[in-house]
Amino acid sequence: MYDWEYGAVSFIDILGFSSIVGDDARKLNPKNLERINDGLNEVRQTSRDSNVEIILFSDSIVLSTRLENSSIVNMLEDSIAVQRSLITRGILTRGGIAFGKHYQDEKTLYSEALIKAYNIETKYAKFPRIVIDSDLLDWITNDSDTTTEQAQKICDLSICDKDGYSFLDYLSPDLLECSLQILNSAHSSITNPSILEKYHWLDSYHNYKCRLHNTQLLCETYTQGFQKNLGHSQTP
């Protein structure tokens, strides 16, 4: 008999994964694989909940747990920990979190929750953020078993974006130098409009956090997007 119960899943996509793997493919030692695995192992070792499973396959990281209030809060914290651990290694992530029927063992992952989380990641996340399903937020904040401390913790862990989606608030004050370095180093090499859009969003998020914690780390690289046309404009 399968343990076909409700669970929650955090589906996280590693942005720029093709170029990351391509870079490793030209080397004897896969340094990028090492830094991704090191980042995830760091989270696994510090996770406070043995019920939260963390697996990596291809460009995807999946965290899953039972549909219990404390475990979901812990999974949200672990998802933020994954983002923070990877961004310190120069790796950006995007994802979705949802709940639904879920089955998982050592060899099998069969999950409605995973499909929902994947759809949120592909359709709504768009930027380097992990979007939380509104149904999950509604359930956990209104469930009679949710304590005042747990409800406050969820508020502390999330932030509402301009488009109305709630996402995990992963840029802590100690990471602002790291995000600034990523923004500045990527700016000159970005030619793809869809990639540039992601960095514009990160720039807005980074500067929002800087205005709360450290205005000296504000990023000015992306604010001046206009320049005098000298006859070398890009053709649509």
Side-chain angles (χ1 to χ4, degrees):
M1 193 72 179
Y2 291 102
D3 188 19
W4 184 232
E5 304 288 345
Y6 280 98
V9 167
S10 175
F11 178 86
I12 303 173
D13 179 61
I14 299 173
L15 298 179
F17 190 72
S18 295
S19 61
I20 290 173
V21 174
D23 184 55
D24 269 353
R26 294 185 291 272
K27 300 174 181 177
L28 291 176
N29 295 318
K31 293 295 184 182
N32 292 321
L33 172 60
E34 181 180 344
R35 62 190 177 122
I36 292 171
N37 254 337
D38 286 349
L40 294 183
N41 287 332
E42 184 178 275
V43 177
R44 291 185 181 107
Q45 291 167 8
T46 58
S47 175
R48 293 181 296 175
D49 193 339
S50 60
N51 292 320
V52 178
E53 300 282 348
I54 305 175
I55 61 174
L56 167 70
F57 62 95
S58 185
D59 62 343
S60 304
I61 302 162
V62 175
L63 294 82
S64 59
T65 192
R66 299 173 300 190
L67 194 66
E68 296 178 355
N69 308 59
S70 59
S71 292
I72 290 174
V73 171
N74 289 334
M75 188 185 73
L76 297 181
E77 291 181 314
D78 286 345
S79 297
I80 288 178
V82 168
Q83 287 186 288
R84 289 175 175 170
S85 183
L86 292 182
I87 199 173
T88 61
R89 293 165 170 83
I91 298 171
L92 297 175
T93 51
R94 177 182 66 199
I97 297 176
F99 77 100
K101 285 297 190 73
H102 179 81
Y103 174 80
Q104 184 174 353
D105 60 25
E106 295 82 2
K107 297 181 180 180
T108 304
L109 177 58
Y110 186 84
S111 174
E112 177 195 27
L114 175 61
I115 294 172
K116 288 182 176 181
Y118 170 79
N119 285 336
I120 291 172
E121 184 273 323
T122 55
K123 295 179 181 178
Y124 306 112
K126 295 183 181 179
F127 314 117
R129 61 179 182 174
I130 297 178
V131 172
I132 311 169
D133 182 24
S134 59
D135 289 339
L136 177 60
L137 284 175
D138 183 65
W139 176 82
I140 195 168
T141 53
N142 292 293
D143 184 67
S144 59
D145 292 332
T146 301
T147 65
T148 302
E149 292 77 14
Q150 289 171 338
Q152 183 59 52
K153 188 67 175 178
I154 291 170
C155 289
D156 294 339
L157 293 173
S158 60
I159 185 172
C160 187
D161 209 335
K162 296 186 291 289
D163 56 8
Y165 295 121
S166 293
F167 69 96
L168 294 179
D169 188 12
Y170 62 95
L171 275 187
S172 53
D174 60 305
L175 288 178
L176 294 176
E177 286 190 22
C178 180
S179 55
L180 178 62
Q181 181 179 0
I182 289 174
L183 286 165
N184 287 336
S185 62
H187 179 259
S188 60
S189 61
I190 299 174
T191 57
N192 187 310
S194 65
I195 296 177
L196 181 60
E197 183 183 31
K198 294 176 178 63
Y199 280 91
H200 271 290
W201 179 91
L202 182 60
D203 172 72
S204 296
Y205 176 40
H206 166 88
N207 284 340
Y208 166 77
K209 300 294 287 189
C210 284
R211 292 186 182 96
L212 294 176
H213 302 291
N214 189 346
T215 56
Q216 293 183 350
L217 294 175
L218 283 167
C219 180
E220 304 292 343
T221 310
Y222 295 80
T223 56
Q224 300 299 326
F226 303 100
Q227 60 183 357
K228 188 66 177 176
N229 191 340
L230 300 177
H232 301 290
S233 62
Q234 183 171 316
T235 303

